[in-house]
Amino acid sequence: MADTLVERYDLTPPVDVLALLEGVADVEHLVWEQSVDGLVLGLSHPGRPRAFLRMNQPSRRKRFTAAHEWGHISIPWHTESLESCHIDNSAYSALGVREREANEFASRVLMPDRYMKRLVTESLNVADWLQGVAYCDVSAHAGLISLVDYLPSGYTFALHQGDALSPKLFRSSGTPIVLSGGRKPVESLVASSFRSGKIDLNGKQVWWFQHIDTSLPPRGSASSAQLLAEIVSRYGRELRPGRPTDKAINSVIGGKLGRRDRMSLGQMLGVLKLHMQSDPDLQPLLADPTFEELLLVRVYEIAEKDKANGRSQ
């Protein structure tokens, strides 16, 4: 639903979400001391619903609340007569179904899917990613929840929140978090990563870590040339008129791994998959086990060539 509305209104960050909410509901801004950040009334009645936003909350939290309430109004099966919402720092999965759906809606409106995909494919620099998230004018917490969903395996972010003794950790899919006993979480993550840094994200200090991925399966006996020939025979010499299949694949592999210094094998594979997924012609091939094996073998071949040339990973 959120993606449909992003396309309909051609939304780009920073999204004027309050104007969008005012377009579908009568909005009032009130001061109250309860923990409820927003209310929406009249979802099951004809006419415009009424939305109430708590004024005494941080501006970025209020933006997320407004997007959250727009979600309740826009999602067809949210038909309760009253929705009261508390936008806390819990993982979305810890909330009730309706609240989780509205949170996910808000996230995809404020940080549209098409924007996030472009952000992580146009640069391999963590600072660029976080700067792009900051531009969406969301909290560091909400931004990191969204960002890690778009990254390959091997990335962890640590965010200190309030008086909490331990930071909140966010990791990309497939990234294990191994904390050493006796060490503080950030110290432990620094020790287990080969690259790390600290960046301000909308007023919050965020530590980021890039880990070595040792989970790759062993390569098979077939060479990349043999696997590529099999892919060409299966999908044709051209993915579309004027774009040869073999050249399209090789150009992504050669172009995107040009800056591979200090990348682990798993991260090299993750980068390739990330860029293949963003290419409409190549994306369907990712479902083919032979194509995935081709990418794996190319990573191993490149690593072997680098080793022979004295270039370490």
Side-chain angles (χ1 to χ4, degrees):
M1 176 60 67
D3 294 343
T4 299
L5 293 174
V6 166
E7 294 298 326
R8 178 183 301 171
Y9 296 108
D10 193 24
L11 301 181
T12 57
V15 175
D16 187 355
V17 68
L18 184 57
L20 292 167
L21 179 61
E22 290 172 341
V24 296
D26 295 327
V27 180
E28 294 185 44
H29 304 263
L30 303 175
V31 175
W32 63 75
E33 298 305 321
Q34 293 85 351
S35 62
V36 175
D37 293 310
L39 290 168
V40 61
L41 301 174
L43 292 177
S44 59
H45 301 119
R48 287 166 63 89
R50 300 175 66 190
F52 301 88
L53 302 179
R54 183 162 66 95
M55 290 183 63
N56 48 325
Q57 59 181 313
S59 62
R60 293 189 178 99
R61 182 175 180 135
K62 189 174 182 180
R63 279 173 49 77
F64 196 92
T65 302
H68 178 104
E69 304 306 338
W70 190 38
H72 281 310
I73 295 169
S74 301
I75 299 172
W77 53 92
H78 288 210
T79 56
E80 287 78 2
S81 58
L82 166 66
E83 286 283 1
S84 61
C85 311
H86 172 62
I87 312 300
D88 63 15
N89 287 328
S90 303
Y92 294 167
S93 59
L95 304 174
V97 174
R98 291 285 196 272
E99 290 299 281
R100 185 170 67 249
E101 289 174 342
N103 272 353
E104 291 171 350
F105 177 97
S107 178
R108 293 180 77 87
V109 164
L110 296 171
M111 296 164 283
D113 179 67
R114 61 184 185 181
Y115 173 85
M116 296 300 294
K117 285 180 177 177
R118 185 170 63 250
L119 176 66
V120 301
T121 54
E122 289 183 347
S123 173
L124 301 180
N125 189 307
V126 176
D128 291 341
W129 296 341
L130 294 178
Q131 184 178 3
V133 169
Y135 185 70
C136 295
D137 198 16
V138 295
S139 70
H141 185 274
L144 292 174
I145 288 178
S146 178
L147 177 62
V148 294
D149 282 343
Y150 292 90
L151 299 182
S153 172
Y155 292 92
T156 300
F157 299 85
L159 170 67
H160 280 282
Q161 301 183 111
D163 298 327
L165 296 178
S166 298
K168 173 70 177 177
L169 301 181
F170 306 81
R171 56 180 174 170
S172 57
S173 178
T175 304
I177 295 181
V178 180
L179 300 179
S180 304
R183 279 181 167 172
K184 294 181 179 179
V186 169
E187 292 176 352
S188 182
L189 288 165
V190 168
S192 66
S193 63
F194 72 92
R195 188 180 298 148
S196 63
K198 184 168 65 173
I199 296 177
D200 179 271
L201 176 55
N202 284 342
K204 298 290 185 179
Q205 289 295 310
V206 173
W207 276 93
W208 61 269
F209 310 89
Q210 198 171 355
H211 306 283
I212 295 174
D213 187 347
T214 59
S215 62
L216 286 186
R219 60 174 292 180
S221 58
S223 68
S224 63
Q226 292 171 321
L227 294 169
L228 182 58
E230 185 176 341
I231 291 293
V232 170
S233 67
R234 188 173 301 169
Y235 294 94
R237 292 183 177 276
E238 292 186 328
L239 294 170
R240 55 179 168 80
R243 194 179 189 196
T245 303
D246 55 350
K247 289 185 178 180
I249 295 171
N250 285 331
S251 66
V252 172
I253 294 174
K256 300 308 177 184
L257 293 185
R259 296 184 295 163
R260 61 182 178 274
D261 288 321
R262 300 177 65 190
M263 272 193 194
S264 70
L265 299 185
Q267 284 153 353
M268 289 168 63
L269 182 61
V271 166
L272 290 182
K273 288 183 177 180
L274 194 66
H275 285 82
M276 297 291 180
Q277 191 173 32
S278 67
D279 188 313
D281 294 332
L282 296 172
Q283 184 181 30
L285 276 63
L286 286 170
D288 189 323
T290 301
F291 185 67
E292 182 151 353
E293 185 180 0
L294 167 62
L295 299 183
L296 177 65
V297 170
R298 283 296 290 131
V299 164
Y300 275 113
E301 289 176 347
I302 289 171
E304 290 165 0
K305 183 179 179 181
D306 285 346
K307 184 176 181 180
N309 293 334
R311 180 178 181 178
S312 63
Q313 294 299 313

